[in-house]
Structures are given as C-alpha cells and as structure tokens.
C-alpha cells in the first residue's frame, strides 16, 4: 500500500506539492481570518507564491501565534466540526484543534499508509496501548487508521500490564502500539508471571513518544534493552497534533517517511530559511488537505535532520532522522549544549534506574542548571558515582542528581489531566 506519488521522481513529488500549495493558499485567503491578516500585513500576493522555494516569502507561524489567536485559525463554521482535540501543552498552554469529517478521513488515510509503511497488513491485529480519550489525537488516529487499513484492533488503553497481557494471550495481536518504556514493564510483568513473551505471537511494536534510535539509526539503549529480551521489530513514529500527519519508519528502519501528499516539510535555521542539506534544523510544516485548521509554515519546535538518499523500500520521499531535541529545551550547561534525549539515553543504560524526571532551571546568575530526580532500586553512593561518571564520559558534564522514592517521581511524571508521562520539566522563564 505505497501511494504512487511516494514512489514517483523527486520532480513529480515537488510538482504535486506546489499544486497543493496553490490550493492551500487560495483556501486560506478565503477562509482563514489569521492568514488573511498575515497576507495583508506583509503585503503578500499569493499568486506570486508558485514554488516551494517561494515559501520563504511568507512569515512563519509559531506556537505562540497558535496560543494567542487559536480561534482565528478556524476555517469552517462550528456546525462542520466533528471532533475537538488539544495539544499536550508540553511547551506552553494547550491549543485546540477542530476537525471536520474530511479531516478525520484524512487522518485515517495518514495512519493507514503509515501502518502499511511499517509492514502492517489487513490480516494483522494491533493492540492499542495509548489512550483514545482525553482529547488525545493520536489514539483516535490509530483507531481510524487501523480500521481504514482493514486490520483488527484491541483498544486496551494505557497502563495496566495485567490487562495488556490478558488481551495479548486472549486475542493474539501481531503488533502493539505503545510507548517504548512501557514495553519494559510488560517484559518485567511477564517474567514475574512466567509468560513466555517470545511465543506470544507479537512480531512488532509501533512506538510513540520516546526515541528508539541514535542519529545513525542504530538502536539506542532503550531499544536494545527491549529487543535483547523480546525478539520483536520496533518501528519509530513521529507526529504531532498540529501536523495531522505522521512520519513512520518503513521496514528498512532508516527514518520516518514523509507523505508529500499530506504535508510540506522544511528544515529551517534561526533565520527561517532552509539549512544546508544534512544539517540539523527546526522542522517547519505546511499541512495539505486539512479543512478545519490548516497551518502554513508552522514551526514545530523540534530539531531534526532530513535524509534524502534513496530508500530500499522503493519510496523516494524524504525521511526524518531521530528527534535531536526540542528547540526550547536546548540547555547550555557548563559550556556544553545539551538536549534532554541525550540524557535519556545515558539514564536508560542503568537497569537500577526505575524512573526519572529531568528538571531544567536558571540559577542566580541566569545560567542553566539541570537536576535529575531518580527513583532507583538501590539508591546509594556507588550508583550515584557510576551515573555521574557515565555522564562525564558521554556528555563531558555531570548534572545534579537526586534520589527519590518511586511514588514521588510518578506523581511528578503524571500530573492531573496528563495523557502521557512528563519526563522534562523546564522551569526557566
């Protein structure tokens, strides 16, 4: 189930995107109060925007813009809205997105081709281990995508290893949709209850929310911990509510594939122009075919690298490498630039570390400080010394580390109304 456009030449892909860009600009000019103001304020004649390169003539849209002018982005009357979702609010106040019936159909198409990208077929059964409620787009998208693909789905929801294993053993799903670290909890539960995980029939997991790979696409520590015990394939996905689209790995597992019929992707530097090929920049997206709340040059805040070499799966689309980090969570610590994912990888090296939270703050002189709060199985000076030494070896610096009990860390990770664990708390102004 590879759409023809994703196997087409780069020239044909570009031509399709430019045609769809024209349609989007016309739609925004007619229906979007926010972008009408942008075009007027910056004296932009949309007829002059004819190529992807011309996009740089249009100002970027930021998360602040979305938060301040949320309702002005809506392009349809209220009676056409079928579903409301909100962003997680990781880096600010949550933003509401309104989806029409056509948007839900587009969301289903996106997830169906994304699952197919990872090798899922209509004969497969998937077990959903994320919430489908709480205004969460991802769980709904997964359900709609599996249904469109024609596969089966078991909606278990988040947590509860006992119920997850009861469902796995009863319904024999072939794929799981889960946060990677939760797979470790399933492995631990299976060990305690004499469940043979490698005869369970599960052959793969579609993973969300946490990175599985290093920048060279090798498995990171977390993924190695999982696959060393459970012999399943792990597939990374990257998506956000604002994008209404996912970048999912194919079976070659060399980055998340771009669906050019659904989204335009730019990798921008601080000057809001494209970085030179092979460099890290901020993913900036333009949604195609969205009816309710389309976005034009929206800066996601996520730092990534694009890969454009040919993929063995037959797709000619750009691929996104593993997330380097969120731009707002970049830390300058004792002269070293860090992103939280680099610290995740180090902490995942220690089996003794049960859970953790990374807190970033400013000290009295305004420079960045890091405090990592850890729940450990044996919180002693020996473990503390080992962790600090590992940080120095890998990142050249060692942050402040505190041991806390598991309940304390869990309370920080799962505040009221949370839909997924919070591992980074940024207290900087």
């Amino acid at each position: 189930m590879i759409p023809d456009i994703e196997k087409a030449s780069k020239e044909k892909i570009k031509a399709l995107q430019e045609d769809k860009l024209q349609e989007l600009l016309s739609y925004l000019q007619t229906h979007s109060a926010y972008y009408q103001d942008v075009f007027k304020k910056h004296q932009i004649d949309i007829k002059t925007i004819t190529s992807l390169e011309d996009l740089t003539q249009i100002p970027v849209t930021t998360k602040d813009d979305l938060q301040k002018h949320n309702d002005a982005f809506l392009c349809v009357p209220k009676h056409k809205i079928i579903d409301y979702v909100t962003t997680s609010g990781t880096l600010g106040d949550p933003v509401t997105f309104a989806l029409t019936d056509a948007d839900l159909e587009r969301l289903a198409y996106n997830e169906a081709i994304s699952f197919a990208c990872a090798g899922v077929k209509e004969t497969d059964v998937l077990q959903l281990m994320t919430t489908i409620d709480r205004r969460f787009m991802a769980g709904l998208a997964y359900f709609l995508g599996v249904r469109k693909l024609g596969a089966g789905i078991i909606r278990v929801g988040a947590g509860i290893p006992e119920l997850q294993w009861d469902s796995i053993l009863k319904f024999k799903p072939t794929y799981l949709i889960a946060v990677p670290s939760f797979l470790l909890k399933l492995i631990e539960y299976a060990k305690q209850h004499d469940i043979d995980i490698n005869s369970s029939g599960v052959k793969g997991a579609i993973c969300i929310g946490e990175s599985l790979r290093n920048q060279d696409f090798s498995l990171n520590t977390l993924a190695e911990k999982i696959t060393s015990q459970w012999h399943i394939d792990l597939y990374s996905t990257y998506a956000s509510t604002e994008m209404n689209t996912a970048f999912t790995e194919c079976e070659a597992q060399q980055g998340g594939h771009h669906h050019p019929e659904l989204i335009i992707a730019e990798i921008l530097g601080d000057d809001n122009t494209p970085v030179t090929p092979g460099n890290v920049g901020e993913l900036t997206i333009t949604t195609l075919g969205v009816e309710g709340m389309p976005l034009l040059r929206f800066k996601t805040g996520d730092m990534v690298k694009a890969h454009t070499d040919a993929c063995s799966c037959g797709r000619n689309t750009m691929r996104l490498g593993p997330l380097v980090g969120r731009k707002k969570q970049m830390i300058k610590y004792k002269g070293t630039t860090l992103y939280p994912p680099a610290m995740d990888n180090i902490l995942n090296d220690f089996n003794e570390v049960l859970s953790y939270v990374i807190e970033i703050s400013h000290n009295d002189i305004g420079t960045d400080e890091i405090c990592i709060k850890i729940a450990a199985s044996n919180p002693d000076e020996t473990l503390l010394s080992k962790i600090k030494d590992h940080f120095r070896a890998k990142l050249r610096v060692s942050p402040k580390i505190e041991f806390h009990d598991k309940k304390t860390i869990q309370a920080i990770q799962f505040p009221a109304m949370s839909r997924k664990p919070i591992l980074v708390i940024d207290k900087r102004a």
Side-chain angles (χ1 to χ4, degrees), residues 5 49 62 89 100 137 145-146 227-228 281 303 313 421:
I5 189 60
I49 312 296
T62 66
T100 66
M137 179 184 273
V146 171
T227 55
S228 66
M303 305 301 287
C313 72

Side-chain angles (χ1 to χ4, degrees), residues 164-351:
Q164 302 290 357
W165 272 113
D166 177 70
S167 300
I168 292 170
L169 298 173
K170 190 176 289 182
F171 303 115
K172 302 293 181 188
T174 44
Y175 287 89
L176 311 176
I177 304 169
V179 175
S181 55
F182 185 64
L183 297 177
L184 289 176
K185 292 183 179 177
L186 290 183
I187 292 169
E188 191 57 37
Y189 182 92
K191 283 180 186 171
Q192 292 168 1
H193 295 82
D194 297 320
I195 297 169
D196 182 358
I197 56 176
N198 289 308
S199 65
S200 63
V202 175
K203 59 185 180 183
I206 314 296
C207 294
I208 69 161
E210 294 170 344
S211 181
L212 293 172
R213 303 193 188 283
N214 301 309
Q215 289 300 316
D216 64 358
F217 299 119
S218 61
L219 292 177
N220 65 15
T221 306
L222 175 58
E224 282 184 343
K225 273 188 176 180
I226 296 164
T227 55
S228 66
Q229 301 172 81
W230 203 348
H231 306 147
I232 56 176
D233 291 319
L234 302 178
Y235 295 93
S236 289
T237 65
Y238 165 77
S240 71
T241 303
E242 296 93 344
M243 295 195 299
N244 281 235
T245 316
F247 292 76
T248 302
E249 285 185 330
C250 69
E251 291 174 279
Q253 299 176 329
Q254 294 290 299
H257 275 282
H258 173 215
H259 300 313
E261 66 273 45
L262 298 179
I263 198 167
I264 294 169
E266 303 173 84
I267 314 295
L268 302 183
D270 290 336
D271 61 354
N272 293 332
T273 61
V275 299
T276 53
N279 283 331
V280 172
E282 184 173 359
L283 178 66
T284 301
I285 57 93
T286 295
T287 54
L288 302 172
V290 171
E291 193 175 50
M293 291 181 67
L295 295 177
L296 179 61
R297 299 201 85 207
F298 173 73
K299 298 187 81 176
T300 63
D302 291 333
M303 305 301 287
V304 296
K305 187 191 291 187
H307 297 263
T308 55
D309 50 314
C311 184
S312 60
C313 72
R315 292 172 179 83
N316 285 327
T317 50
M318 177 268 284
R319 304 182 315 282
L320 285 185
L323 184 67
V324 175
R326 293 182 183 269
K327 188 173 185 179
K328 279 192 175 179
Q329 290 178 346
M330 186 183 82
I331 308 159
K332 291 287 280 186
Y333 185 66
K334 297 179 180 177
T336 299
T337 299
L338 302 174
Y339 287 99
M343 293 185 270
D344 293 334
N345 221 16
I346 289 169
L347 293 165
N348 284 328
D349 263 335
F350 291 89
N351 292 326

Side-chain angles (χ1 to χ4, degrees), residues 39-51:
F39 297 155
K40 186 177 178 182
K41 180 181 176 183
H42 295 275
Q43 298 180 316
I44 294 167
D45 179 359
I46 61 170
K47 293 186 182 69
T48 65
I49 312 296
T50 58
S51 70

